């Protein structure tokens, strides 16, 4: 199913005008939106593709983006944030997507720090925030990419992700889901300093209190996930009892 701009706009409840652009196929919606941003695209702009040939995930990985079975969108914002605060945008988008999924699909959506959404132990969505900086202290713009598996592709998921990837079950919800994500994201973003979404983010973190493996480049170590601080950094307790605050890296639940 292809996205329909008119249907999406008809379902929007936000008061401001949202610029929505649709493309059938592109390499990466994030790359396209970054180009648009550098050329002066307005805030808040949304780019949606039916297929990506070079979809991007975190840590340089690819995001599987076949035609007709997923939602691939990027949102352009121009926040008053320092570069180290960009994690707030990722976590905000995660809450917007997770709560939208719950409303549209009726399925409980959990979050794995910092950018993945899970249902019933399967990853069904990922979020990647990229941007450009005016200086070390100021962001010029940020692009938030959201990829969601709506239905399982014909022949199943590729071998490298088949054990973890899942889908919502239907591509027919695409327009409603996109609109609901925008409806939830925009109010969060406009009230960014208040961090209205933080309570929802914390309560959806299914791994807090569990043993995890922390991966930071070539370094990894075992720890217990303890909490998330107000900047959405992960607080872990190492095996020697030391508390460490992580503002980058990734975690593995299966250790």
């Amino acid at each position: 199913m292809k996205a329909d701009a008119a249907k999406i706009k008809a379902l929007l409840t936000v008061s401001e005008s949202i610029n929505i652009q649709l493309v059938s196929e592109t390499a990466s919606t994030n790359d396209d939106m970054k180009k648009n941003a550098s050329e002066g695209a307005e805030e808040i702009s949304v780019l949606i593709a039916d297929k990506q040939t070079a979809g991007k995930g975190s840590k340089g990985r690819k995001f599987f983006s076949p035609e007709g079975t997923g939602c691939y969108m990027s949102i352009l914002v121009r926040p008053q944030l320092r570069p180290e605060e960009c994690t707030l945008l990722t976590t905000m988008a995660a809450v917007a997507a997770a709560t939208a999924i719950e409303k549209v699909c009726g399925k409980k959506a959990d979050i794995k720090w910092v950018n993945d959404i899970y249902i019933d132990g399967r990853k069904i969505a990922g979020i990647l925030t990229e941007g450009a900086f005016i200086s070390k202290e100021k962001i010029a713009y940020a692009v938030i990419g959201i990829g969601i598996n709506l239905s399982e592709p014909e022949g199943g998921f590729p071998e490298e992700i088949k054990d973890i990837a899942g889908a919502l079950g239907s591509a027919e919800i695409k327009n409603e889901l996109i609109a609901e994500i925008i409806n939830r994201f925009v109010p969060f973003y406009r009230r960014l300093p208040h961090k209205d979404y933080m309570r929802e983010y914390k309560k959806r973190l299914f791994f807090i209190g569990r043993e995890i493996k922390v991966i930071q480049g070539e370094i990894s170590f075992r720890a217990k996930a303890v909490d998330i601080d107000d900047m959405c950094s992960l607080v872990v307790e190492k095996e020697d009892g030391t508390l460490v605050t992580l503002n980058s890296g990734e975690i593995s639940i299966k250790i």
Side-chain angles (χ1 to χ4, degrees):
M1 178 179 178
K2 295 183 180 295
D4 185 310
K7 290 181 179 179
I8 293 169
K9 288 183 178 180
L11 293 168
L12 294 179
T13 58
V14 292
S15 58
E16 58 194 278
S17 176
I18 305 295
N19 177 31
I20 296 177
Q21 179 186 356
L22 306 181
V23 295
S24 296
E25 179 180 322
T26 189
S28 163
T29 59
N30 263 27
D31 286 349
D32 288 354
M33 188 59 89
K34 286 188 290 184
K35 181 176 182 294
N36 293 348
S38 66
E39 294 174 350
E42 65 188 72
E43 179 185 68
I44 296 170
S45 295
V46 181
L47 174 63
I48 304 159
D50 187 53
K51 176 183 179 179
Q52 294 183 116
T53 57
K56 296 191 290 184
S58 61
K59 311 302 177 186
R61 302 185 184 99
K62 293 181 179 180
F63 189 90
F64 183 56
S65 313
E67 183 176 2
T69 65
C71 167
Y72 320 118
M73 59 189 288
S74 292
I75 304 173
L76 168 65
V77 293
R78 299 181 185 276
Q80 298 297 311
L81 290 177
R82 298 187 302 275
E84 64 269 22
E85 296 175 314
C86 281
T87 300
L88 297 177
L89 299 173
T90 303
T91 52
M92 179 194 309
V95 173
T99 54
I101 287 168
E102 286 193 1
K103 180 177 180 181
V104 174
C105 302
K107 298 179 179 180
K108 183 177 183 298
D110 296 316
I111 297 173
K112 175 188 167 190
W113 184 83
V114 59
N115 62 331
D116 293 334
I117 299 174
Y118 278 64
I119 291 179
D120 296 329
R122 292 271 178 175
K123 178 181 172 179
I124 54 89
I127 297 164
L128 177 66
T129 301
E130 301 179 290
F133 310 124
I134 295 174
S135 67
K136 292 182 179 180
E137 298 296 325
K138 190 174 181 180
I139 295 172
Y141 65 81
V143 172
I144 305 157
I146 304 173
I148 304 174
N149 301 327
L150 300 179
S151 60
E152 187 167 326
E154 185 176 351
F157 290 103
E159 185 70 24
E160 61 269 23
I161 61 172
K162 71 175 185 178
D163 291 336
I164 189 62
L168 296 179
S170 172
E172 298 301 314
I173 63 171
K174 181 182 286 189
N175 294 314
E176 183 181 1
L177 183 58
I178 291 171
E180 194 59 37
I181 290 172
I182 295 171
N183 286 337
R184 291 166 185 269
F185 177 85
V186 173
F188 286 156
Y189 177 66
R190 290 307 183 197
R191 287 178 54 83
L192 178 58
H194 300 278
K195 301 178 184 177
D196 295 340
Y197 62 92
M198 279 294 293
R199 180 175 303 202
E200 282 291 333
Y201 186 78
K202 286 187 176 183
K203 83 176 188 180
R204 293 171 188 278
L205 296 172
F206 62 94
F207 59 89
I208 296 297
R210 294 174 58 178
E211 297 297 320
I212 61 172
K213 181 168 75 171
V214 177
I215 305 164
Q216 295 182 303
E218 300 297 319
I219 300 172
S220 65
F221 59 89
R222 292 173 180 259
K224 180 181 179 180
V226 176
D227 198 5
I228 294 288
D229 70 13
D230 288 341
M231 293 303 295
C232 293
S233 297
L234 176 62
V235 181
V236 302
E237 181 181 352
K238 300 179 75 172
E239 291 182 311
D240 63 1
T242 304
L243 291 178
V244 179
T245 299
L246 308 173
N247 54 27
S248 64
E250 60 183 316
I251 62 172
S252 173
I253 310 300
K254 297 179 180 179
I255 61 173

